Amino acid sequence: MSAAQREVTDAVQGDVFDRQVRAIAAARGLDEARVRELVDTGVFSADEALRARLVDGLAWPDELEAAVAAHLGRRVQLASGLDESPPRPAQRWGPRRKVAVVRVEGTIAGGRSRPAPLGDDGIAGAETIASLVKQAAADPWVVAIVLRVDSPGGDALASDLIWREVMQARRSGKKVVASMGDLAASGGYLVSVAADGIVAEPSTLTGSIGIFALKPDLSGLLGKLGVATVTVKRGRHADLQSFTRRWTDDERALVEREVRAFYELFLSRVAGGRHLTRDEVEKVAQGRVWTGAQARERGLVDALGTFADAVRLAKERAGVPADEEVELAAFEPERSVLAELAGGLDLQADASPLASIGRIPELRALSFLLEVGPLVALPLGWVGVGEAGGVAGPGGTPAAR
């Protein structure tokens, strides 16, 4: 781990840990120093947890149900998932106004949204998401759009295409609020800055305003296997993305120029969306990852909160009274009949040989590279690049080889 990567990782971990310590101390009435001691202990039996004041009591599930029933004065069944409240009569005529929800989940890439070839996270296709945003903007009953972002980023061009469609929705008069989940980094952050407002969780990994380019170089492996490759081409750089050789110095300079250009574009997108100067953005950019709390302090997000808070902010920005009920309308891609049938099957990931193959880091990295473009808006430390990989970052020097 490089010194810079260690600094970022330690800062993110430290911010999350310190907030957890404060929260536990406040909730359990303990000193923060005592909480840190308990964290270092780590593992407790039920009795030990009670003595340490981490829990208030010990009970079997039926005993807990009885205690809750006695407190409420009626019989209860825990975790039933049933809403037993009486239905309320309608308070208005006609349909309710809507807050549209469009999800950007998984690695961002061109084309349509699809399952990831290897791994659990899906592919957030720019074509699909842009189409959904356009549909939401065209719906006359939609007063605002919540863009739910849970993505580490991905292809730079695909991210920019989504950014543009969100801007188009705003120009049509719709208010847009970005709600960040676990991840809204790099390309995930780029699509968020197009919104009128951004709400993040305190521990959301966000920011990483940076671009890099990479491609695998399998020439060493092919040489060990005794495989020779011959390329017939027209155009000096026609095989720029070939997996069978390294970049030449001229090609590396060419790619670096593209990286620098998109990095400047990224800075301008953030500066415009966050009402900052280019130099102010540069200070918090450079590919660095922040937690949501750190991003809030640096002006990269507007508020800390949940998805529900983002919905409330969207209503507020759209001028909808806080007590007016709106319909949360999920705009999602249509699924084919085969996809619906497959979704109804209870398939275990471990039952598929592909799932086992997907656990190999090198193959997961290669699968990722095949999905996204050569310019990547993703935290550099999150892509596994071995000796066969070549990376050019905004600084111009190889970050990994």
Side-chain angles (χ1 to χ4, degrees):
M1 184 181 292
S2 68
Q5 183 64 33
R6 183 176 294 279
E7 178 186 350
V8 172
T9 303
D10 188 65
V12 169
Q13 189 180 70
D15 181 70
V16 174
F17 180 66
D18 290 345
R19 262 186 293 106
Q20 293 289 356
V21 167
R22 289 194 296 270
I24 294 171
R28 303 308 305 167
L30 299 170
D31 294 332
E32 290 186 20
R34 176 55 178 160
V35 173
R36 292 176 186 273
E37 291 177 1
L38 295 173
V39 171
D40 286 337
T41 301
V43 180
F44 302 86
S45 67
D47 290 326
E48 289 170 340
L50 181 62
R51 289 195 296 270
R53 294 168 53 193
L54 292 175
V55 298
D56 295 302
L58 306 178
W60 295 102
D62 61 306
E63 294 174 333
L64 183 58
E65 286 186 355
V68 174
H71 177 73
L72 297 178
R74 61 182 177 86
R75 182 178 177 277
V76 296
Q77 182 178 1
L78 298 181
S80 65
L82 300 178
D83 181 5
E84 299 179 354
S85 58
R88 291 180 296 172
Q91 298 296 315
R92 53 172 290 137
W93 291 97
R96 291 181 295 182
R97 292 194 281 183
K98 301 177 184 177
V99 171
V101 180
V102 178
R103 300 182 182 276
V104 183
E105 297 180 336
T107 302
I108 298 173
R112 302 198 60 79
S113 298
R114 53 201 182 272
L118 299 176
D120 300 326
D121 296 332
I123 301 297
E127 180 183 337
T128 298
I129 295 170
S131 175
L132 295 175
V133 172
K134 184 179 293 186
Q135 291 175 32
D139 190 324
W141 289 101
V142 170
V143 294
I145 300 171
V146 173
L147 198 68
R148 179 61 174 177
V149 182
D150 200 348
S151 169
D155 179 70
L157 174 59
S159 303
D160 206 33
L161 290 172
I162 298 173
W163 173 91
R164 195 256 183 185
E165 202 58 54
V166 175
M167 292 296 296
Q168 290 289 86
R170 289 178 59 191
R171 293 185 183 111
S172 74
K174 304 294 183 182
K175 297 298 181 180
V176 183
V177 171
S179 169
M180 294 179 169
D182 292 340
L183 306 170
S186 214
Y189 184 69
L190 174 60
V191 304
S192 301
V193 296
D196 294 281
I198 302 176
V199 179
E201 298 275 0
S203 299
T204 298
L205 290 179
T206 185
S208 183
I209 303 166
I211 300 292
F212 65 95
L214 77 166
K215 77 177 183 76
D217 169 24
L218 305 182
S219 59
L221 173 62
L222 295 175
K224 292 177 182 178
L225 297 176
V227 177
T229 60
V230 177
T231 301
V232 178
K233 64 181 181 180
R234 296 293 184 274
R236 182 184 306 173
H237 305 303
D239 59 341
L240 182 71
Q241 293 303 319
S242 170
F243 288 1
T244 64
R245 66 174 181 84
R246 294 181 181 274
W247 281 321
T248 66
D249 291 341
D250 288 344
E251 288 169 338
R252 184 177 292 274
L254 177 65
V255 173
E256 182 182 336
R257 187 184 70 189
E258 293 300 306
V259 168
R260 286 181 177 275
F262 204 99
Y263 182 60
E264 289 297 328
L265 178 64
F266 201 162
L267 294 179
S268 69
R269 297 279 192 252
V270 177
R274 303 307 305 159
H275 307 293
L276 300 169
T277 67
R278 187 263 183 206
D279 290 342
E280 287 173 329
V281 176
E282 171 68 9
K283 290 179 181 178
V284 296
Q286 304 177 49
R288 175 156 182 169
V289 180
W290 308 98
T291 65
Q294 293 169 333
R296 173 69 180 85
E297 294 171 353
R298 290 158 177 81
L300 296 178
V301 303
D302 293 292
L304 301 179
T306 63
F307 172 76
D309 294 318
V311 173
R312 282 191 286 270
L313 179 60
K315 289 175 58 179
E316 177 184 321
R317 294 291 176 92
V320 178
D323 58 351
E324 179 180 333
E325 291 189 12
V326 296
E327 177 187 347
L328 279 182
F331 281 70
E332 299 177 340
E334 294 183 1
R335 300 179 65 188
S336 66
V337 175
L338 289 177
E340 293 288 349
L341 291 174
L345 298 177
D346 184 17
L347 297 177
Q348 298 296 323
D350 289 341
S352 169
L354 197 60
S356 299
I357 295 174
R359 295 192 183 97
I360 302 174
E362 291 79 6
L363 291 182
R364 288 177 64 91
L366 182 59
S367 170
F368 165 79
L369 293 174
L370 293 174
E371 289 288 348
V372 302
L375 292 182
V376 183
L378 190 82
L380 180 58
W382 296 3
V383 179
V385 181
E387 288 189 0
V391 179
T397 57
R401 176 172 292 175

